[in-house]
Amino acid sequence: MRILLLKPRWEIGYGQMRYAKRVRFPALGLGILATLSAGHAVEVVDANWDPIPFDRDWDLVGITVTTFAAGTAYDLAARFRAKGAKVVLGGIHPTIMTDEASEHADAVVVGEAEDVWRDVLEDVARDALKPVYRAEAPTDMTTVPRARRDLLNETRWFTAVEASRGCPNKCIYCYLPATPWARFRPRPVEDVVDEVRSLPQPVFIFVDENIFTDRDHAIRLFRALAPLGKKWLVQMPTDRADDDELLDAMAAGGCFNVHMGFQSFNKESLADAQVDHAPRVEKYREIVRRLHDREIVVSGFFVFGFDGDRPDAFDTTVAAIRSIGVDDAGMFIATPYPGTQFHKRFEEQGRLLEGATSDHFGWSRAVFQPKHMSPEALERGVRRAYDALQGHFLRRLGWVLRTQAPVVLKAPRLAWVFIAGTLRPHRLDSRSRG
């Protein structure tokens, strides 16, 4: 069969992730499905970087769907179905919104696709596709093959690695607790290290939701990576940053940047978001210092719009970010994704805004009525906070470039990413109100 595996373009505002558009993240999940499609002619397309081959005939088109790209995915599905291809939708949005997704596809995969993909291929070949393929349990990570990286549009200096899946935390705004794959599952350390060893790229990101869930496993992995000389970045929860043994293993293993979800400096907002694993706000400065002592860049993530946030939240956050010395900041508008407790709350309270379509769910648009301000004020406040922090980011840039010289020597392109992201940050979604 001729199979196209497609990731739609992510039509979201990139202002809140200032470096995102300058770094190419490979579609690992589709690469894994390509491996599981041995014996067929497979192509993987990431529409963020690749042209979509509408002019070719396909027997099967598999599309991975996020909420903010759902409208785009459905349009693509219709276009390929009109040409005679069978279309299968999978990913987070079809898993949560199965009935909706089924209206736009020949079949929907609910849950992780690895254990059902061969059934899908066999049924397509027999012209006997079922409407829904449901993974019975989270995938055993010891059975997941490596992605076919020869089909992925990767750069020569940067790529992605998956060492685990799942996270035990229950943050009210996170989609993960609503999915069938929330349970934490690590890959064997030796498998991850062997894959990293095989990569030509000197820099990579761990795409795990929470690689730190199993502390001892994480330490073993980081220590095993040390001899390889690779440099990497990772998403890290704040509650792990007071562990010197863990931090030392990270630094020795090649970590140069953490993406840390501080979420808020407002204790009321943290409680509202059910971020009960976070340390006291008073410890944030110490967390950053510990990482800086090991020359690890700290990219802090912050969320606005919780019921504890009032109009002064933006100025308070700007001052606090300067105070604790975060090197970069991603600032997001709280977004009630379907299936989350957040969405259920706002739906029950009648606070979801009419007219908000799926492409508004990209972190830079207010799609609900905040408790203490207007949706327009929430959006303006985030934009104003970015503007107010520009000088701080510029001052931190010197330290970042100085301490990361060994990484830049391995991957000179990284220096451009740091500099361009700081000097010419992307604005938030131009469709934002106000």
Side-chain angles (χ1 to χ4, degrees):
M1 285 191 298
R2 294 157 299 183
I3 301 173
L4 172 64
L5 300 174
L6 174 61
K7 176 183 173 183
R9 181 176 175 80
W10 283 16
E11 296 289 352
I12 63 174
Y14 277 94
Q16 75 281 8
M17 297 181 70
R18 298 180 309 117
Y19 303 141
K21 238 182 177 181
R22 298 179 174 89
V23 179
R24 187 172 300 181
F25 295 84
L28 284 182
L30 296 183
I32 290 170
L33 294 187
T35 302
L36 294 172
S37 303
H40 301 283
V42 185
E43 185 166 335
V44 176
V45 167
D46 183 340
N48 289 294
W49 318 106
D50 310 318
I52 300 176
F54 292 114
D55 58 338
R56 294 159 58 188
D57 293 326
W58 304 96
D59 299 302
L60 173 63
V61 177
I63 305 177
T64 182
V65 188
T66 58
T67 296
F68 50 79
T72 301
Y74 295 158
D75 289 344
L76 293 171
R79 190 164 175 178
F80 281 112
R81 292 176 85 188
K83 289 177 60 68
K86 297 296 184 183
V87 172
V88 177
L89 300 180
I92 176 61
H93 192 74
T95 292
I96 300 298
M97 304 293 289
T98 305
D99 291 343
E100 175 194 288
S102 295
E103 297 176 2
H104 301 275
D106 297 286
V108 171
V109 172
V110 175
E112 294 167 305
E114 286 89 355
D115 290 343
V116 300
W117 187 245
R118 289 192 176 93
D119 294 336
V120 171
L121 297 182
E122 290 174 4
D123 290 349
V124 171
R126 297 188 299 111
D127 196 23
L129 264 179
K130 303 180 182 70
V132 176
Y133 291 81
R134 194 177 302 272
E136 295 300 324
T139 303
D140 179 353
M141 294 303 291
T142 65
T143 68
V144 175
R146 294 184 193 176
R148 275 198 61 181
R149 292 182 181 268
D150 61 304
L151 298 180
L152 303 181
N153 190 343
E154 297 182 290
T155 60
R156 288 178 294 177
W157 70 275
F158 178 85
T159 188
V161 173
E162 181 183 53
S164 67
R165 293 180 188 171
C167 175
N169 299 327
K170 305 294 182 185
C171 304
I172 194 173
Y173 55 85
C174 182
Y175 72 86
L176 196 58
T179 69
W181 58 78
R183 179 169 57 84
F184 178 74
R185 292 150 291 144
R187 288 174 61 193
V189 167
E190 57 273 17
D191 288 354
V192 179
V193 173
D194 189 54
E195 181 176 14
V196 171
R197 183 183 294 110
S198 72
L199 300 175
Q201 293 88 351
V203 179
F204 68 91
I205 183 173
F206 280 114
V207 294
D208 307 45
E209 287 100 357
N210 190 349
I211 198 173
F212 299 91
T213 298
D214 184 334
R215 171 192 181 272
D216 293 341
H217 182 272
I219 289 175
R220 289 197 302 274
L221 172 60
F222 301 154
R223 288 174 174 168
L225 289 172
L228 305 185
K230 303 278 187 176
K231 296 296 183 179
W232 45 271
L233 53 158
V234 67
Q235 180 173 282
M236 184 179 192
T238 52
D239 63 339
R240 292 297 190 185
D242 61 351
D243 186 330
D244 285 332
E245 183 181 9
L246 177 62
L247 296 181
D248 288 343
M250 289 171 60
C255 180
F256 73 94
N257 182 200
V258 297
H259 292 174
M260 182 160 283
F262 295 97
Q263 315 307 358
S264 179
F265 292 96
N266 184 332
K267 297 176 184 178
E268 183 181 351
S269 294
L270 289 173
D272 178 48
Q274 297 182 16
V275 184
D276 53 8
H277 59 281
R280 296 191 310 275
V281 170
E282 293 81 0
K283 294 185 66 176
Y284 283 0
R285 186 199 296 269
E286 176 66 13
I287 286 171
V288 175
R289 185 196 64 77
R290 285 173 175 269
L291 291 161
H292 281 171
D293 284 349
R294 294 164 173 85
E295 298 190 342
I296 295 175
V297 175
V298 181
S299 301
F301 287 0
F302 302 90
V303 181
F304 296 93
F306 296 119
D307 282 356
D309 287 340
R310 291 166 175 78
D312 65 350
F314 310 103
D315 292 339
T316 300
T317 300
V318 167
I321 286 173
R322 291 171 177 158
S323 174
I324 68 174
V326 167
D327 305 299
D328 178 43
M331 289 178 282
F332 305 82
I333 291 175
T335 302
Y337 286 100
T340 63
Q341 295 181 56
F342 217 35
H343 188 278
K344 181 179 179 181
R345 173 203 289 180
F346 291 140
E347 188 173 47
E348 291 174 347
Q349 295 177 355
R351 293 168 60 187
L352 295 175
L353 298 184
E354 294 184 8
T357 59
S358 62
D359 66 328
H360 295 170
F361 283 68
W363 313 309
S364 61
R365 303 280 303 264
V367 298
F368 66 96
Q369 174 59 56
K371 189 172 183 178
H372 298 292
M373 66 188 85
S374 68
E376 294 83 1
L378 176 54
E379 293 174 357
R380 287 196 302 268
V382 174
R383 293 198 298 273
R384 191 175 72 248
Y386 271 114
D387 290 341
L389 283 167
Q390 187 62 16
H392 170 77
F393 294 147
L394 285 169
R395 287 189 293 275
R396 294 302 309 167
L397 179 62
W399 181 87
V400 169
L401 293 176
R402 184 173 67 255
T403 58
Q404 302 312 311
V407 189
V408 171
L409 288 174
K410 289 177 175 290
R413 180 80 171 178
L414 184 62
W416 179 85
V417 170
F418 281 134
I419 294 169
T422 301
L423 297 181
R424 295 186 288 111
H426 288 285
R427 295 296 299 182
L428 291 174
D429 192 332
S430 61
R431 295 166 296 177
S432 291
R433 295 177 289 272

